């Protein structure tokens, strides 16, 4: 048999990773295929409803949030570990079952990566801006960002696109690759559980300020290293886009200077790196649930052409992803 799969639960063979990356680029996340994140989402909703019956005071909600996070991550890790065990044993029975197990490994690995969905979503918003259809651009943008989009200007829409591209390079591509590299599928899919928990309950609003505390903190910890790798990858990728060492230097300088200004300990790093590379200013006040949040500005505006900058940002994200997979 061709050695496509290492006989280890906590590692992933490079050929599987490469095929998974190409698979995600080709078809992304089709709704007709079962996806671990959708399953996690339903599990989080059910466990949250169950726990809220018993944890009601602010302190109890914090404890309930810890129980939610630990239970979802533990279940995800154990189930993935069992699936990987099964596939490894299945691959030893016959050549046909070896091929089937390889295909399943490729699919499961591809579910941890989200480059096609990220790029497609950004392109859709940009295409509406090009058509001067700002209402459709706002509507599509609302599907990929947490802020209120109904009153955003064209410039603020494009700034939001650049921000979400840089943030999701870390969350959707670099972090999964990082955890695939150090712990195989069980660790990578467990990371997706942490990320999903944060996206569903990790808010600082009245409902989740206590209940979502543990999920938000775990996400900060899990993304600490990947966010900084993402910033460096963006800086390197900017050379291939602009053919300029000064762009690389600007990106690295801005990452160091403004990366810590963001309210998140991680999101500001790739945002500052891409702001420096593109010569744009990101951040600033934004509306969340009709409440204005004073987000700090990141970067220095050297160009007013945010449409061109957003298209360059897509190219930077693509190249960063390729470099990440190659490493």
């Amino acid at each position: 048999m061709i050695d496509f799969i290492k006989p280890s639960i906590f590692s992933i063979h490079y050929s599987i990773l490469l095929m998974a990356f190409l698979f995600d680029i080709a078809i992304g996340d089709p709704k007709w295929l079962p996806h671990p994140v959708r399953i996690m989402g339903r599990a989080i909703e059910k466990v949250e409803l169950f726990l809220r019956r018993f944890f009601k005071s602010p302190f109890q909600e914090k404890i309930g949030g810890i129980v939610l996070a630990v239970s979802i991550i533990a279940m995800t890790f154990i189930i993935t570990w069992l699936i990987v065990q099964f596939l490894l044993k299945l691959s030893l029975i016959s050549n046909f079952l070896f091929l089937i197990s390889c295909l399943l490994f490729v699919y499961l690995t591809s579910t941890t990566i989200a480059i096609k969905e990220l790029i497609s979503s950004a392109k859709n918003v940009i295409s509406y801006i090009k058509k001067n259809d700002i209402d459709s651009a706002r509507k599509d943008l609302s599907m990929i960002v947490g802020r209120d989009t109904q009153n955003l200007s064209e410039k603020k829409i494009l700034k939001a696109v650049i921000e979400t591209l840089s943030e999701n390079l870390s969350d959707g591509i670099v972090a999964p690759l990082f955890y695939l590299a150090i712990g195989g599928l069980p660790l990578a899919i467990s990371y997706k559980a942490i990320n999903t928990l944060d996206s569903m309950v990790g808010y600082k609003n009245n409902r989740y300020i206590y209940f979502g505390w543990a999920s938000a903190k775990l996400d900060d910890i899990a993304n600490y290293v990947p966010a900084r790798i993402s910033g460096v990858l963006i800086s390197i990728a900017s050379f291939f886009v602009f053919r300029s060492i000064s762009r690389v230097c600007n990106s690295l300088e801005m990452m160091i200077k403004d990366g810590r200004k963001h309210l998140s300990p991680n999101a500001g790093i790739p945002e500052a790196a891409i702001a420096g590379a593109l010569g744009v200013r990101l951040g600033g006040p934004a509306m969340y649930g009709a409440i204005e949040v004073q987000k700090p500005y990141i970067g220095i505006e050297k160009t007013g052409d945010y449409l061109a900058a957003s298209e360059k940002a897509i190219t930077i994200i693509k190249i960063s992803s390729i470099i990440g997979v190659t490493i």
Side-chain angles (χ1 to χ4, degrees):
M1 291 182 184
I2 300 172
D3 180 27
F4 276 127
I5 304 173
K6 284 184 178 181
S8 172
I9 295 171
F10 300 113
S11 65
I12 195 83
H13 198 276
Y14 65 86
S15 57
I16 294 291
L17 179 56
L18 179 58
M19 287 187 285
F21 184 72
L22 295 174
F23 182 85
D24 181 73
I25 290 173
I27 71 168
D29 176 22
K31 302 301 179 186
W32 52 271
L33 276 174
H35 197 287
V37 170
R38 288 195 284 271
I39 297 169
M40 291 172 198
R42 288 194 289 271
I44 291 166
E45 288 175 352
K46 291 180 183 298
V47 175
E48 179 189 349
L49 287 173
F50 174 77
L51 290 173
R52 282 190 181 276
R53 298 176 190 173
F54 309 101
F55 301 95
K56 298 186 182 297
S57 71
F59 176 75
Q60 289 175 345
E61 281 193 13
K62 229 174 190 181
I63 300 300
I66 294 171
V67 173
L68 171 69
V70 171
S71 61
I72 291 295
I73 295 164
M75 284 191 294
T76 300
F77 183 87
I78 291 167
I79 291 169
T80 307
W81 181 82
L82 290 171
I83 290 171
V84 172
Q85 279 270 40
F86 172 75
L87 291 178
L88 287 172
K89 290 178 180 178
L90 190 70
S91 68
L92 301 174
I93 296 173
S94 70
N95 287 338
F96 174 73
L97 292 176
F98 173 75
L99 178 61
I100 295 299
S101 66
C102 281
L103 293 174
L104 289 171
F105 260 112
V106 168
Y107 173 66
L108 287 172
T109 304
S110 75
T111 64
T112 66
I113 306 167
I115 183 168
K116 182 178 176 62
E117 295 300 320
L118 173 62
I119 299 299
S120 296
S121 298
K123 282 184 174 179
N124 287 340
V125 176
I126 292 169
S127 68
Y128 283 124
I129 292 293
K130 286 182 174 180
K131 297 173 187 174
N132 293 316
D133 187 353
I134 196 163
D135 288 332
S136 295
R138 288 167 176 160
K139 183 179 178 181
D140 270 31
L141 180 65
S142 69
M143 299 176 187
I144 58 174
V145 300
R147 73 195 66 183
D148 300 342
T149 62
Q150 60 268 27
N151 297 313
L152 292 183
S153 65
E154 177 182 314
K155 181 178 179 179
K156 287 187 175 181
I157 290 170
L158 292 170
K159 284 173 65 173
V161 168
I162 296 170
E163 288 171 13
T164 198
L165 279 168
S166 62
E167 287 179 35
N168 283 286
L169 170 67
S170 177
D171 293 356
I173 302 164
V174 174
L177 290 174
F178 176 76
Y179 288 107
L180 280 166
I182 66 173
L185 267 175
L187 199 57
I189 295 185
S190 295
Y191 164 77
K192 296 301 288 186
I194 294 171
N195 199 236
T196 306
L197 279 161
D198 181 62
S199 67
M200 292 183 68
V201 305
Y203 298 103
K204 293 182 179 179
N205 55 26
N206 290 335
R207 180 173 174 80
Y208 290 116
I209 184 68
Y210 301 110
F211 199 86
W213 173 83
S215 295
K217 290 297 180 185
L218 279 172
D219 189 72
D220 288 343
I221 294 167
N223 282 299
Y224 188 86
V225 173
R228 283 142 185 83
I229 294 173
S230 298
V232 173
L233 291 178
I234 286 170
S235 299
I236 296 170
S238 66
F239 173 78
F240 296 96
V241 175
F242 295 103
R243 299 289 193 275
S244 168
I245 290 293
S246 65
R247 294 277 185 166
V248 179
C249 294
N250 290 342
S251 178
L252 290 171
E253 181 184 358
M254 198 58 63
M255 182 175 71
I256 295 167
K257 180 184 174 185
D258 283 4
R260 295 181 182 179
K261 287 184 178 180
H262 200 283
L263 300 175
S264 161
N266 300 316
I269 302 297
E271 273 191 30
I274 206 165
L278 296 171
V280 297
R281 187 170 74 157
L282 304 176
M287 302 295 293
Y288 291 84
I291 298 171
E292 186 175 71
V293 176
Q294 295 296 325
K295 299 172 70 176
Y297 286 104
I298 292 174
I300 299 170
E301 187 170 276
K302 297 179 181 180
T303 175
D305 191 351
Y306 278 76
L307 179 59
S310 63
E311 291 180 315
K312 292 288 188 185
I314 289 176
T315 306
I316 286 174
I317 298 306
K318 287 179 179 177
I319 295 172
S320 298
S321 302
I322 293 168
I323 296 171
V325 171
T326 304
I327 292 171

